[in-house]
Amino acid sequence: MLDIRPMTIGDLALGRRLVAQAGWNQLEADWRRQMELQPDGGFVAELDGVGVGTVTTCRFGPVAWIAMMLVDEAYRGRGIGRALMVRALESLNANGVRSVRLDATPLGRPLYESLGFVAEATFDRYRGVLPPAAEQSGEPMARKADPLDLDAAIALDREVTGTDRGRLIRSLADEHPDSLRVAGEPGRVAGFLLSRPGRSARQIGPCLGDERAGPALLADARSRYAGEAVILDVPAANAPAAAQVRSWGLRAERELLRMGRGPRVAEDPRRIWAGSGPEKG
Ligand SMILES: CC(C)(COP(=O)(O)OP(=O)(O)OC[C@H]1O[C@@H](n2cnc3c(N)ncnc32)[C@H](O)[C@@H]1OP(=O)(O)O)[C@@H](O)C(=O)NCCC(=O)NCCS
């Protein structure tokens, strides 16, 4: 019998197993962050008492993100993914969410389309090993963040993404304080970048900013993480960002289709130089 029940911290082992099976990049810390940001937001599919699927939701006021939609390979194609999505959408509806968003893999798309999601944007996932640091010419624009900068970065994030993701940005900055880099005067942030480790590569992003800050922050990350395997999710609409990461030898490995249901959220992809990852855009 199939049962969809709330996710608990006891489900971390199932989450890790399904991520490894799908070849995704998330670590246990990523599952923990999902659960902390939205303790009532995760669901597990159990077939005769055995966990076989997961989904998480995260609410930012009227906007929510769905992520970690994973069904054990051995049990796909029998309605488990659909049952998880229906439960996730019911919970978001009951909590007054109007716009639901997600980044879809090709395997997820037919399911989301059948539930009323429409394509909004494309992100390309770039992967590779960063080349040795290039010589810096002139004064570097990116710098270590000052305590005043976090609030300014959160305000910029809200302006660019049309979503109040302050809790997400704060938890990423708390977990990886050294990874927070900013461009601009203290308290007046023209751009910021965060990154975190992953199973197979460091995820560089979010990186948001104007046309000067974005390239400077990406160049700064390139020299700070030279020699490391990295991934970046770059909006197809931001051609300079794609050109910059391609010039480092990174290759587009797959496409993520950003989909939405309900009123469209106004985000500005030209100021997104790298997304935060498919869990929350
Ligand atoms: C995407 C995923 C969660 C779907 O789970 P699932 O349990 O197989 O999905 P369901 O059986 O509920 O199928 C849902 C719909 O998907 C479509 N679908 C499922 N398998 C399909 C297949 N092999 N070919 C085409 N369409 C398919 C059907 O439209 C189905 O609709 P229906 O209910 O009208 O038949 C699963 O394939 C998976 O875990 N993939 C790897 C991780 C991943 O890519 N997750 C999506 C992230 S966005």
Side-chain angles (χ1 to χ4, degrees):
M1 200 190 72
L2 181 67
D3 181 35
I4 309 292
R5 61 155 176 85
M7 183 181 285
T8 71
I9 205 79
D11 294 311
L12 283 174
L14 170 68
R16 279 203 315 267
R17 183 173 74 76
L18 294 180
V19 161
Q21 188 188 62
W24 285 7
N25 195 45
Q26 288 87 357
L27 295 169
E28 183 171 308
D30 296 296
W31 280 105
R32 285 187 186 275
R33 188 181 323 107
Q34 302 273 356
M35 291 185 199
E36 280 160 18
L37 286 173
Q38 198 66 68
D40 61 349
F43 299 95
V44 166
E46 272 185 0
L47 201 56
D48 299 325
V50 178
V52 293
T54 57
V55 67
T56 64
T57 65
C58 187
R59 308 192 293 271
F60 300 114
V63 181
W65 276 83
I66 292 188
M68 308 315 285
M69 178 70 187
L70 289 156
V71 172
D72 189 328
E73 267 167 16
Y75 300 97
R76 289 185 193 161
R78 47 167 99 173
I80 297 173
R82 174 174 294 274
L84 279 164
M85 270 306 280
V86 166
R87 179 66 179 272
L89 290 171
E90 277 168 8
S91 134
L92 294 178
N93 224 6
N95 281 286
V97 167
R98 301 186 63 224
S99 305
V100 186
R101 314 190 76 202
L102 53 82
D103 280 347
T105 63
L107 278 174
R109 278 177 211 174
L111 170 60
Y112 307 138
E113 273 162 8
S114 75
L115 289 167
F117 284 82
V118 296
E120 292 183 346
T122 303
F123 279 64
D124 291 305
R125 166 154 294 187
Y126 285 88
R127 180 188 292 271
V129 174
L130 288 177
E135 284 288 311
Q136 283 275 5
S137 58
E139 188 67 15
M141 197 184 167
R143 60 174 172 83
K144 186 177 183 316
D146 187 87
L148 281 177
D149 292 326
L150 188 57
D151 285 344
I154 288 171
L156 175 66
D157 186 84
R158 191 168 48 234
E159 191 187 307
V160 172
T161 66
T163 304
D164 187 357
R165 305 192 304 174
R167 289 182 304 129
L168 168 68
I169 303 302
R170 222 172 268 287
S171 66
L172 290 172
D174 281 351
E175 286 171 56
H176 305 289
D178 290 345
S179 85
L180 177 58
R181 303 285 285 176
V182 295
E185 297 303 309
R188 290 169 56 98
V189 160
F192 73 96
L193 179 145
L194 281 155
S195 75
R196 60 187 183 279
R199 281 179 68 244
S200 62
R202 170 174 291 275
Q203 174 107 34
I204 295 184
C207 175
L208 310 186
D210 61 25
E211 72 285 354
R212 285 187 62 228
L217 288 160
L218 288 181
D220 177 66
R222 175 224 159 135
S223 34
R224 281 164 56 82
Y225 304 117
E228 276 192 47
V230 298
I231 53 181
L232 293 96
D233 297 334
V234 177
N238 190 337
Q244 190 171 356
V245 301
R246 275 200 297 262
S247 77
W248 303 338
L250 269 51
R251 291 282 158 263
E253 155 190 89
R254 63 186 171 99
E255 189 187 271
L256 295 162
L257 186 66
R258 183 154 295 182
M259 303 182 85
R261 186 179 192 258
R264 190 169 177 148
V265 175
E267 73 184 355
D268 180 359
R270 281 160 313 162
R271 285 193 284 167
I272 302 178
W273 297 76
S276 70
E279 302 93 334
K280 313 234 176 340

